Amino acid sequence: MIDQKSIAVLPFVNMSSNIENEYFCDGLTEEIINALAKIKQLSVTSRTSSFYFKNKIVTAKEIRENLKVATFIEGSVRVSKHKMRITVQMIDTLEDFHFWSETFDRNPENVFEIQDEISLFIAEKLREHIGHLEIKEKLVAPVDVAVDVYREYLKGRYYIMKLDYKNSIKGINILKEVINKSPNFSNPYLDINLAYVNMGTMGILPSNEAYEKAQPYLLKALELDPNSSRSQLNLAWIECWQNWNLKKAYNHANKALEIQPADDIYLTISNFLTVEGKLDAALNYLDKALQLDPYAAINHHYKGFLYYLKEDYKTAIPHLKKALDLDPKLLFPPIYIGICLLMSGQSNEALTYFSSLEGVSVKDLTKLGGETMCYAKLNETEKCNDGLRELETYLKTELLDKAFMFLILVNALLGNNKKVIDLITQAYDKRLPLILLLNPSPILKPVKNHKRFKDIILKAIPDNLNYKQKKSYKQILLDTSEIKKYSKELEQIMIDYKLYLNPDLSLKDLASYIELPANYVSQLLNLGFQKNFSEYINTFRINEFKERVLLEENKGLTIMAVAYDSGFNSKTVFNTFFKKIEGITPNTYLKSNS
């Protein structure tokens, strides 16, 4: 079922011949997406998925089916020397009708006022159509830079968002010129940092080199604007992957989420949960990222990666292939497609797959490392040893991250456990980020109880789920402070995920989202909310029903149709709970509020 408070903003069409206006159109689209994402009750499709439809002719039905939104915005921009005409229209994806269209004729110099004006206008019209939204007086903060400098900034960002080496470097150079002209403008520092981090994460640059180049720009951005969502997200990444401090990483990620929910923040929290070995919770957060950005290749890759870690190789492969369909240049999926084949008993198929890889995958050791893993599994000793020797030659090059990873995995497949531990120790001493993902690796099962391995993982991740002493659950399960803490977390989860809309939701399902045993959650509901599970969930469903049943678009539906849309699956339960909570029948409520 599609949430009525969901929207996508498609890339605005450049109606001018000047390529410079293309940067402005993309920048305007991004700014409106970011502005609307600040409205807490609204689910806004992220940039990657919106821009997937750039220069494509699509129907309302296609947008509804592919982006799972009730509404979308499309528009165009025509710019002359002294005049800018922006046309914006809002389309209902279910009924396929334009319920408003507006044209803005403005001075191109007033770019920031234009962005805020259009964002607020969209938000107000959306509120009229779908129901109450809390909207701030301003959604786009003014930026103290000259318009021509801001346009250059948009140009630089346009190139780095292409995510390949050549365009990233071109974008970085443009953004450096912007910094020279406006040294107190925080955005270009954040975007240069983003460009380097992306290249390091994607394997285009060695991770240590990329992070080292990125850090000065992030530090300057934090000095200029420490409280932006993007600043907090970057701090979260640094605390996890560079400082190995998960507690601080979570704090920064949650702050970013409070400021502006976005798919990359949910993905980041999913990464952190993976490091801890909390794979079910990681999948929950990853699904939220996919909901907001279903066309982000990295989101599909990560879902496949999580299923690989859960040893569900059959489920993992389609997600990994989907990631490659969306972005054939993405470096990670080929590694895990081949490994999934290998670990599911298809060693020859895996060898054929790795041997057929071409292009960028050859350069990042995927082909060499993958083939060597297959030779280890197939007991082709001579070929395996040749591969190991070649991989070792890369330990003193910029490819040492991948070389260590494949050497560890190959030796694990060979049963050389002492060599595996020695290699992991060397990688730990070099503080390579791959250490953080060794904990949940299914290939490393044979060494996970080895004392040296446990010591290394616990030094890197003191809160590691697999190696911490298991909690001995108390008779009195939660104390007062814990009840207060988890009650707040649970309320936020219910708001973010709307779990109550699932008619088959169970106490165990709810417990998986908050990472507590079901017994604890049962006690939490009783002591924190004075409700049992059914009362707690059905209270949300009743509130959802009360909001939905008064919407103009639902006037033609029966009361029970709206109740079912609100998460109920029984007429008796619905009527009983409604009377219990509201003191009147649903019919009486509807009549008194019509």
Side-chain angles (χ1 to χ4, degrees):
M1 186 179 62
I2 291 177
D3 184 358
Q4 287 303 302
K5 294 184 177 179
S6 57
I7 189 170
V9 183
L10 300 192
F12 280 47
V13 177
N14 176 23
M15 301 296 286
S16 310
S17 57
N18 189 346
I19 185 61
E20 297 289 322
N21 291 322
E22 191 77 16
Y23 315 136
F24 177 78
C25 289
D26 285 3
L28 176 64
T29 306
E30 275 198 74
E31 202 60 63
I32 292 172
I33 291 172
N34 291 334
L36 294 176
K38 293 174 184 174
I39 301 172
K40 297 294 185 185
Q41 305 100 317
L42 197 59
S43 177
V44 184
T45 300
S46 294
R47 180 194 187 280
T48 308
S49 290
S50 289
F51 275 72
Y52 179 82
F53 294 95
K54 184 171 179 175
N55 299 325
K56 294 179 181 176
I57 299 173
V58 289
T59 64
K61 181 182 178 183
E62 288 171 321
I63 294 297
R64 184 178 181 86
E65 290 176 350
N66 290 293
L67 297 183
K68 304 292 187 291
V69 292
T71 313
F72 72 98
I73 300 292
E74 61 182 15
S76 63
V77 182
R78 186 185 300 276
V79 182
S80 59
K81 190 171 183 180
H82 301 295
K83 183 180 177 182
M84 176 186 295
R85 169 163 287 191
I86 301 173
T87 301
V88 185
Q89 47 193 358
M90 185 180 285
I91 297 103
D92 183 298
T93 63
L94 179 60
E95 301 297 334
D96 193 9
F97 74 93
H98 296 56
F99 53 89
W100 64 258
S101 180
E102 189 74 16
T103 299
F104 300 83
D105 288 322
R106 299 291 185 270
N107 185 330
E109 295 299 304
N110 300 331
V111 57
F112 306 116
E113 292 90 340
I114 293 167
Q115 291 173 343
D116 190 49
E117 180 186 5
I118 293 175
S119 299
L120 283 169
F121 187 85
I122 291 170
E124 288 290 355
K125 289 297 181 183
L126 198 57
R127 179 158 60 181
E128 292 172 10
H129 180 63
I130 66 173
H132 179 64
L133 298 170
E134 290 289 337
I135 303 171
K136 296 178 181 178
E137 288 188 11
K138 291 190 77 65
L139 292 175
V140 179
V143 181
D144 188 20
V145 296
V147 171
D148 61 329
V149 175
Y150 183 71
R151 286 179 178 273
E152 279 299 296
Y153 160 69
L154 293 178
K155 182 177 180 180
R157 182 165 173 79
Y158 173 87
Y159 284 111
I160 70 161
M161 293 310 293
K162 290 184 177 290
L163 301 179
D164 60 71
Y165 179 80
K166 182 179 177 182
N167 281 301
S168 293
I169 296 301
K170 183 174 183 177
I172 287 170
N173 289 334
I174 293 170
L175 293 171
K176 285 179 178 178
E177 286 299 313
V178 172
I179 288 171
N180 288 337
K181 294 174 184 175
S182 292
N184 294 324
F185 182 22
S186 64
N187 285 17
Y189 294 100
L190 278 172
D191 282 314
I192 292 176
N193 169 73
L194 175 67
Y196 280 124
V197 168
N198 281 342
M199 286 192 284
T201 304
M202 294 169 65
I204 297 172
L205 285 178
S207 57
N208 288 343
E209 177 190 337
Y211 297 151
E212 188 177 328
K213 288 183 174 180
Q215 192 167 33
Y217 293 98
L218 176 60
L219 292 176
K220 184 63 179 180
L222 289 169
E223 178 189 320
L224 294 169
D225 186 8
N227 295 317
S228 76
S229 175
R230 292 173 62 199
S231 294
Q232 290 298 320
L233 184 59
N234 276 286
L235 281 172
W237 272 94
I238 285 175
E239 289 297 348
C240 178
W241 300 107
Q242 291 179 242
N243 299 341
W244 295 1
N245 188 325
L246 275 176
K247 184 176 180 181
K248 287 186 177 180
Y250 278 120
N251 286 341
H252 288 299
N254 286 324
K255 282 182 184 176
L257 205 57
E258 287 173 18
I259 296 167
Q260 183 175 319
D263 75 291
D264 51 353
I265 304 174
Y266 287 109
L267 173 63
T268 297
I269 296 174
S270 181
N271 296 158
F272 299 165
L273 290 164
T274 305
V275 169
E276 290 192 275
K278 299 175 179 177
L279 302 183
D280 287 336
L283 269 171
N284 289 336
Y285 275 89
L286 195 276
D287 283 340
K288 185 66 177 178
L290 273 166
Q291 178 187 332
L292 292 174
D293 209 344
Y295 282 88
I298 193 66
N299 289 346
H300 288 278
H301 160 74
Y302 206 74
K303 187 157 190 177
F305 177 65
L306 286 172
Y307 277 113
Y308 154 71
L309 294 179
K310 288 167 72 68
E311 300 180 63
D312 186 351
Y313 307 120
K314 186 176 180 181
T315 304
I317 289 175
H319 292 291
L320 296 165
K321 288 183 175 179
K322 174 70 172 176
L324 281 181
D325 288 342
L326 291 169
D327 183 1
K329 295 180 182 177
L330 199 59
L331 298 175
F332 311 116
I335 298 173
Y336 295 102
I337 291 172
I339 293 178
C340 283
L341 290 170
L342 187 66
M343 297 301 289
S344 58
Q346 303 176 71
S347 302
N348 287 309
E349 291 85 347
L351 179 59
T352 300
Y353 177 79
F354 281 122
S355 298
S356 67
L357 291 176
E358 296 177 356
V360 72
S361 295
V362 177
K363 298 177 186 176
D364 80 336
L365 302 187
T366 299
K367 183 173 183 178
L368 171 62
E371 288 177 337
T372 307
M373 290 178 69
C374 294
Y375 294 138
K377 199 78 168 173
L378 290 164
N379 296 316
E380 296 195 26
T381 307
E382 188 175 339
K383 289 182 178 180
C384 181
N385 288 336
D386 288 343
L388 285 169
R389 281 191 289 271
E390 189 174 349
L391 283 167
E392 286 172 354
T393 66
Y394 289 97
L395 291 178
K396 294 183 179 179
T397 72
E398 61 184 24
L399 297 175
L400 82 162
D401 304 60
K402 287 282 175 61
F404 265 110
M405 182 189 76
F406 281 118
L407 284 167
I408 289 168
L409 295 179
V410 173
N411 278 285
L413 291 171
L414 290 170
N416 298 335
N417 292 351
K418 183 179 182 303
K419 179 68 173 176
V420 170
I421 302 295
D422 289 342
L423 286 164
I424 290 172
T425 303
Q426 293 174 48
Y428 174 84
D429 291 341
K430 294 178 183 292
R431 290 190 69 83
L432 298 182
L434 67 89
I435 287 291
L436 301 189
L437 288 174
L438 296 180
N439 158 42
S441 170
I443 296 177
L444 295 183
K445 274 185 175 180
V447 299
K448 285 188 178 181
N449 289 318
H450 195 292
K451 184 180 184 302
R452 285 174 63 201
F453 183 83
K454 288 181 179 180
D455 289 345
I456 290 170
I457 297 299
L458 276 172
K459 277 195 294 183
I461 319 159
D463 291 329
N464 191 286
L465 187 71
N466 284 3
Y467 299 109
K468 274 176 66 176
Q469 187 176 0
K470 298 290 184 183
K471 290 180 183 177
S472 55
Y473 296 133
K474 303 164 286 185
Q475 193 67 35
I476 299 174
L477 303 175
L478 297 170
D479 60 31
T480 305
S481 63
E482 289 173 325
I483 288 171
K484 184 176 179 182
K485 171 180 177 285
Y486 286 119
S487 294
K488 184 178 178 182
E489 283 186 23
L490 185 57
E491 288 288 280
Q492 192 60 52
I493 286 169
M494 295 299 287
I495 291 167
D496 286 344
Y497 291 96
K498 294 193 173 184
L499 301 179
Y500 51 86
L501 294 179
N502 174 9
D504 300 316
L505 184 72
S506 68
L507 179 63
K508 187 177 179 181
D509 294 331
L510 191 64
S512 75
Y513 275 79
I514 201 168
E515 285 290 329
L516 285 174
N519 284 343
Y520 276 47
V521 177
S522 179
Q523 185 206 25
L524 175 65
L525 295 175
N526 285 325
L527 296 183
F529 301 95
Q530 292 76 52
K531 292 181 174 73
N532 61 33
F533 172 75
S534 293
E535 290 169 336
Y536 180 73
I537 298 301
N538 285 327
T539 299
F540 281 95
R541 289 169 176 159
I542 293 296
N543 290 334
E544 184 78 12
F545 168 83
K546 286 163 60 181
E547 184 176 322
R548 285 174 181 259
V549 78
L550 300 178
L551 294 176
E552 188 66 34
E553 67 214 56
N554 290 332
K555 290 294 173 66
L557 299 179
T558 65
I559 282 178
M560 278 316 299
V562 179
Y564 290 138
D565 285 346
S566 303
F568 285 98
N569 61 4
S570 162
K571 182 176 181 179
T572 303
V573 171
F574 167 65
N575 285 324
T576 302
F577 266 97
F578 196 95
K579 185 78 181 289
K580 180 179 178 181
I581 292 172
E582 298 298 323
I584 57 177
T585 66
N587 270 313
T588 304
Y589 173 82
L590 184 57
K591 288 174 183 176
S592 63
N593 286 277
S594 294

